[in-house]
Each structure stands twice: as structure tokens, then as C-alpha cells.
Amino acid sequence: MKHPPTSHDVERMRLALAHARRGSPAPNPHVGAAIVRDGEVLGVGHHERAGGSHAEVAALADAGCDVRGATLYVTLEPCNHHGRTPPCCDAILRAGFARVVVGCRDVNPAVAGRGVERLRAAGVEVTLGVCEDEAFALVSEWVRTMREAV
């Protein structure tokens, strides 16, 4: 069953956005995440530094519990490729999230919609574009750098 974004989605995405503003991940983008089940925030995280855990993995570590069936709010589309860290999609699928709410798509050619596609293909419900303008503004410098590199 597909759910349209709700006021709770906006509230939880704003929590993820607040966490995304932390850290110094340059040259990587600022990304935040929040894990919620039955209205309770189980964990939050952000991408602290380049080469370190991505926001999704940091939020899972913060939760420290079984998050199966929960919703993950993440400000930027989860990665589905190997870089300095394993793909976040792998961690998301292992954790058993029922739903992933994404602020904005990743323009990185290594991701570019493939994270969302992989999650959906695995049966995870994905909602895109919640607080999209705020999420995109947070990564705008990184997006500019990505586009200049192409």
C-alpha cells in the first residue's frame, strides 16, 4: 500500500534535516536520517565526515535495536554503490525497513535514482520529495560540484 506524505512525514524529515546540518562531510554532502516506528523516534544520525558512516548507518547504530518494519527518513537518496563505505541500500534492506522517505534524489551519476529503484524492487515502499526544497538546499554546493565534474 502506498502512502502519500503526511504532516508526520514533514515533521520527521525536518528532524533528519536538523541532523544533516551537523558534521563536516566535505567533499561529501550533508545528509541526515531518522528512524521512526509507531510514532517513536528510535534513532537519528548524520554523515559526520568523509569516509565515515553515512547517515542511514549512523541512525541504525543510534537506534541499537531491531528496526524491522520501521520507517527511515533520509534527506538524500540512499547510495547503492561501493565508495569508501558499503552501499546504504544494503544496510537498509538488511535492517528490514518497511518504508523509506527521501528528501531529494541524489544527482551523483553513481546513484541517480538507482538507490530508490533498488529499494522499490526489494519491496520497500519509497516516498520521494518530502521537504525537497530544504533537502536540496542542504546539498546544493555538493550538487554544483557534481555537475561541474560531469
Side-chain angles (χ1 to χ4, degrees), residues 8-87:
H8 292 290
D9 289 338
V10 170
E11 178 184 324
R12 300 310 190 199
M13 184 59 73
R14 288 204 170 122
L15 174 62
L17 286 161
H19 280 271
R21 292 180 180 95
R22 301 177 181 188
S24 300
N28 295 344
H30 284 270
V31 181
I35 300 169
V36 179
R37 183 173 46 217
D38 298 326
E40 178 186 354
V41 177
L42 303 177
V44 293
H46 64 279
H47 186 50
E48 179 67 33
R49 61 178 173 75
S53 295
H54 287 186
E56 301 92 328
V57 174
L60 282 164
D62 186 55
C65 64
D66 183 359
V67 299
R68 197 166 316 282
T71 298
L72 172 67
Y73 293 85
V74 62
T75 60
L76 185 66
E77 177 181 6
C79 64
N80 187 38
H81 67 286
H82 286 271
R84 293 187 208 175
T85 62

Side-chain angles (χ1 to χ4, degrees), residues 113-135:
R114 280 180 236 135
V116 166
E117 289 171 10
R118 178 162 178 221
L119 294 174
R120 285 181 172 156
V124 177
E125 180 185 335
V126 179
T127 301
L128 288 169
V130 175
C131 301
E132 186 172 32
D133 291 342
E134 292 171 66

